[in-house]
Amino acid sequence: MMEKWIEINRLKKNVDDFQLGPIDLSFEAGTITAIVGNNGAGKSTLLKVLMRLAVQNDGEIKLFGQLIDSEEEGWKKRIAYLPQTLLGCDSFNGNQLRELVSKWYPTWDQPLFEQLVEMYQIPLSKKYGKLSQGVQQKLNLALTLARDAEILILDEPTAHMDIPSKQMLLDVIVEWMDRGDKLVIISSHQAEDIRKLADYVVVMKEGQLLGKFEKEELTGQYKQYWMEDSLPNEPIPGVIERKNERILVSKCAEETESYLAGKQLKWLRAKNLEIEEIITYMLIGKAS
Amino acid sequence: MELPIRLSKESREPIYHQIEEQIKALIAGGQLPAGTSLPSIRVLSKELEISVITTRRAYQNLEYQGFIRTTQGKGTFVAEIEASKKEEVTVSAVYHAIEKAVETALRHDYTLEQIEVVFQEIIASLKKKGGHNNDGKMD
């Protein structure tokens, strides 16, 4: 097994009347995990607690096998975190921000930073506050990736980006992973990010963890069937929706197929669901 | 390089096995000569939209069977393989394709005898046309 770099045990965090957890979750070196969920599911809160930007009410977090506490902050240099919004930067330009950030990170990779600035055509002499949201996001990314830390945590990195920029980022992250032992956690609402990057998908709903799944564990099991004949009105194992008497959706293809085969019920066609359809079923229990 | 791999997510054949078989076929068919550099597990996983766990499994099996080799820090390459092994892959690919066709017919409630008739008809019509296309591919 690959080494566990992040271990979260029985973590709980209350924010006003919202409760996150209890959450048990771990992340291994060499993997990319996408965290998905509805708005307000607690994804950003979880990442903030992980980064010690908020303190949990209960539970523990281990990084690289060590419990983290506020005394010793060496681990911070081993994680690069991209928050959704960066506060207090408005009056600095890109060059000044680079100077501030690069000093903190012994692994700062200037050529990578320049490559990203070039690729995204980021104007470094313009004040951060004067940049569009999309360009701000690109600059944040360049400042985060170039730290070349072992763990990269991205909170909705592409929300404001145009399509080519999103595509380029996928390649950048793939290349970045191939640099060596790395770990990426990405919170995202973009199906493309999940399809092309994620090895694992963490699904969250209303502060609770619904589970961590290997991607093919989901895409291989959720299927829709078009049956040859109308189905009897009895419960069928694995079936989560019947769209009409001949179309059904299963979350456990194996169970459903063995039941159908046993009853000599034939289907004309079966289709695997797309990851966004699967997530929709998990989050709202029905197709959109 | 990008590999011309196409996965059928609907198939009962596991994804890692589909990758394995298609890479073997590319090697046996000469499209990927010995020494060709293969995409990293991460890059191939992105292209095929699958997890590295699945891709790694395919690469490990291919390496174990001697089709590819991985050099630490350099990457993964197509290995030298014997002609007899290439032959084996080709033969098994042909059997596999015909088996799949027969399975399709059986799913449509054809009897084995009926399938044989269809098979004979297809062969006969190909013979009449003066053979098959050059690369022998039907698809």
Side-chain angles (χ1 to χ4, degrees):
Chain A
M1 266 319 277
M2 281 170 287
E3 218 180 317
K4 274 186 196 166
W5 275 2
I6 302 178
E7 256 188 280
I8 298 170
N9 297 316
R10 304 175 313 279
L11 186 81
K12 278 190 196 165
K13 170 73 187 168
N14 303 322
V15 185
D16 303 326
D17 55 356
F18 171 78
Q19 199 194 329
L20 175 76
I23 286 180
D24 288 274
L25 194 58
S26 62
F27 302 92
E28 287 106 41
T31 62
I32 301 180
T33 304
I35 302 187
V36 303
N38 316 62
N39 301 113
K43 307 184 294 290
S44 296
T45 307
L46 175 64
L47 298 181
K48 279 182 193 152
V49 175
L50 196 55
M51 289 308 299
R52 308 314 281 151
L53 298 170
V55 178
Q56 71 264 40
N57 297 89
D58 199 8
E60 55 170 41
I61 300 172
K62 281 184 187 171
L63 285 174
F64 305 106
Q66 300 274 316
L67 272 181
I68 52 171
D69 57 59
S70 41
E71 304 293 297
E72 199 277 315
E73 296 212 320
W75 58 271
K76 279 201 169 168
K77 296 196 189 324
R78 303 177 72 181
I79 301 190
Y81 165 66
L82 176 79
Q84 275 183 33
T85 41
L86 216 53
L87 298 174
C89 295
D90 283 2
S91 57
F92 297 98
N93 69 25
N95 283 315
Q96 292 164 325
L97 289 170
R98 181 195 54 87
E99 238 165 81
L100 287 172
V101 174
S102 61
K103 261 191 289 190
W104 274 95
Y105 288 87
T107 50
W108 180 261
D109 186 334
Q110 183 62 20
L112 176 61
F113 180 74
E114 284 165 15
Q115 185 200 324
L116 293 165
V117 166
E118 164 80 28
M119 182 179 94
Y120 280 143
Q121 301 283 305
I122 306 168
L124 289 180
S125 47
K126 218 169 162 184
K127 281 194 176 147
Y128 187 85
K130 301 278 179 202
L131 301 171
S132 74
Q133 274 187 310
V135 180
Q136 284 182 349
Q137 227 169 10
K138 290 170 186 172
L139 176 56
N140 293 347
L141 259 170
L143 289 166
T144 309
L145 280 161
R147 293 172 201 178
D148 203 19
E150 290 146 287
I151 299 177
L152 179 63
I153 298 179
L154 306 170
D155 195 354
E156 292 186 35
T158 58
H160 305 288
M161 279 191 200
D162 52 50
I163 292 172
S165 304
K166 282 182 195 167
Q167 292 291 318
M168 284 189 253
L169 180 65
L170 297 176
D171 286 325
V172 167
I173 292 180
V174 162
E175 262 172 53
W176 190 85
M177 282 302 286
D178 272 343
R179 291 177 151 224
D181 270 352
K182 300 283 187 189
L183 164 59
V184 173
I185 300 172
I186 177 170
S187 131
S188 174
H189 297 296
Q190 316 284 332
E192 187 89 344
D193 293 346
I194 305 163
R195 276 207 293 270
K196 298 218 182 260
L197 290 179
D199 303 312
Y200 294 97
V201 183
V202 163
V203 187
M204 290 180 68
K205 184 180 182 178
E206 289 156 18
Q208 301 299 307
L209 176 72
L210 294 188
K212 179 182 173 184
F213 309 91
E214 191 194 327
K215 192 164 52 184
E216 276 85 78
E217 214 184 296
L218 297 176
T219 52
Q221 287 298 331
Y222 279 73
K223 282 193 186 179
Q224 174 163 325
Y225 299 88
W226 285 263
M227 303 303 297
E228 258 179 27
D229 302 301
S230 299
L231 287 164
N233 208 3
E234 53 192 293
I236 299 176
V239 168
I240 48 174
E241 192 188 0
R242 292 188 184 205
K243 295 193 171 175
N244 61 34
E245 65 276 15
R246 286 177 57 181
I247 300 178
L248 43 91
V249 179
S250 167
K251 65 168 183 173
C252 186
E254 281 164 33
E255 277 184 25
T256 304
E257 286 177 19
S258 89
Y259 175 88
L260 294 175
K263 296 263 174 183
Q264 308 266 318
L265 294 165
K266 288 190 178 171
W267 58 93
L268 297 166
R269 216 193 130 210
K271 178 194 84 160
N272 292 57
L273 298 194
E274 295 291 341
I275 193 78
E276 56 266 44
E277 297 175 291
I278 297 170
I279 290 165
T280 303
Y281 271 110
M282 296 176 103
L283 293 181
I284 62 174
K286 241 182 129 32
S288 51
Chain B
M1 70 174 289
E2 263 184 55
L3 296 177
I5 291 178
R6 224 180 124 227
L7 299 179
S8 157
K9 303 229 158 132
E10 266 72 52
S11 163
R12 275 158 192 272
E13 194 183 348
I15 302 280
Y16 71 88
H17 197 249
Q18 293 183 37
I19 301 172
E20 235 180 284
E21 292 306 305
Q22 290 183 45
I23 292 182
K24 273 192 210 166
L26 290 166
I27 294 173
Q31 289 93 338
L32 293 177
T36 309
S37 159
L38 292 174
S40 73
I41 289 173
R42 175 60 65 188
V43 168
L44 189 59
S45 302
K46 172 186 174 261
E47 280 166 18
L48 300 178
E49 303 188 345
I50 56 177
S51 76
V52 289
I53 301 114
T54 304
T55 312
R56 185 174 297 118
R57 191 158 171 196
Y59 270 29
Q60 275 170 350
N61 290 350
L62 286 166
E63 182 148 21
Y64 180 72
Q65 294 163 61
F67 285 91
I68 63 174
R69 63 192 152 75
T70 300
T71 315
Q72 198 71 44
K74 280 191 179 161
T76 305
F77 302 89
V78 175
E80 290 286 350
I81 59 165
E82 297 151 26
S84 64
K85 208 164 179 176
K86 285 189 187 176
E87 180 71 20
E88 223 175 87
V89 172
T90 312
V91 169
S92 99
V94 171
Y95 268 81
H96 189 63
I98 295 178
E99 253 167 36
K100 262 164 84 176
V102 172
E103 275 167 24
T104 305
L106 288 173
R107 260 208 308 280
H108 287 94
D109 295 330
Y110 273 55
T111 64
L112 289 174
E113 290 69 26
Q114 285 171 314
I115 297 169
E116 227 174 328
V117 173
V118 174
F119 188 77
Q120 302 283 8
E121 273 174 19
I122 292 172
I123 297 286
S125 103
L126 284 174
K127 277 185 180 160
K128 217 163 80 186
K129 272 191 225 157
H132 46 77
N133 25 337
N134 284 337
D135 59 3
K137 281 192 189 123
M138 302 288 294
D139 185 4

